[in-house]
Amino acid sequence: MHEQERRLSDLERELTLLSRHFVAARGPRIGQSLERSAYVLLTRLEVGEPLTLKELAHTFQVDVSTINRQVSAMLRNGLVERIPDPEGGMARKFRPTPLGLERLAADRAISRAGMRRLIEASGWSGQRTEQFLTLLVEFNQSIEQLEGLTWSRAARPKNPPAAD
């Protein structure tokens, strides 16, 4: 196997394992109330403007029918609301409700606690964790640029202090 193929194979395996660790870090879902799809959709809607079903489908690169089922369930549960397009378009847009944001914050706190357990168990310093985060953000932003699908991020300091 050529060096580049080995790297790609290793990267694919490690990203698969990382996704498994992240899901496992969220724990056995004790105390969590959101389905994974609702968690991800609310995470996107929380940081940007309201979006149509078509815009959400494009953002997540899935069929509109898939997004429609997920958003319909979220509507029934009071996690999102349908609003007229603020710019006057015909399609309705969706934004999180206060309940949706509250449940997202509660589930996110559990998820972050799981990540904290993993980082502490790994023995990584704050500096090493920050380096990993920087590389992961750069990797995700590069992919977003290739796909033309940017994901809004909260502003972060350019040189945050290393937390140990």
Side-chain angles (χ1 to χ4, degrees), residues 35-150:
E35 295 289 330
R36 183 183 181 285
S37 62
Y39 185 92
V40 174
L41 284 165
L42 285 168
T43 297
R44 174 60 182 92
L45 290 170
E46 160 190 54
V47 296
E49 69 285 348
L51 298 172
T52 65
L53 289 175
K54 185 177 180 180
E55 290 167 334
L56 285 167
H58 179 71
T59 297
F60 291 101
Q61 299 180 328
V62 297
D63 292 335
V64 173
S65 62
T66 300
I67 288 292
N68 187 37
R69 282 191 303 277
Q70 294 169 347
V71 170
S72 292
M74 293 170 68
L75 274 167
R76 283 191 304 275
N77 292 317
L79 303 174
V80 294
E81 62 186 348
R82 187 183 343 234
I83 62 168
D85 184 344
E87 297 171 9
M90 295 296 291
R92 299 290 184 194
K93 295 200 172 198
F94 297 89
R95 68 178 175 204
T97 63
L99 174 63
L101 293 175
E102 177 183 313
R103 288 178 57 188
L104 176 62
D107 277 19
R108 183 175 283 142
I110 293 168
S111 183
R112 285 181 178 162
M115 288 302 303
R116 183 176 299 109
R117 284 190 304 274
L118 288 178
I119 294 297
E120 288 172 358
S122 75
W124 278 21
S125 67
Q127 181 181 9
R128 181 127 188 219
T129 303
E130 187 65 33
Q131 290 169 337
F132 178 64
L133 174 60
T134 298
L135 291 171
L136 193 56
V137 168
E138 288 175 13
F139 187 65
N140 279 327
Q141 288 176 329
S142 295
I143 294 168
E144 291 166 14
Q145 187 176 13
L146 286 171
E147 295 175 338
L149 299 170
T150 59

Side-chain angles (χ1 to χ4, degrees), residues 153-157:
R153 290 174 172 81
R156 296 184 60 224

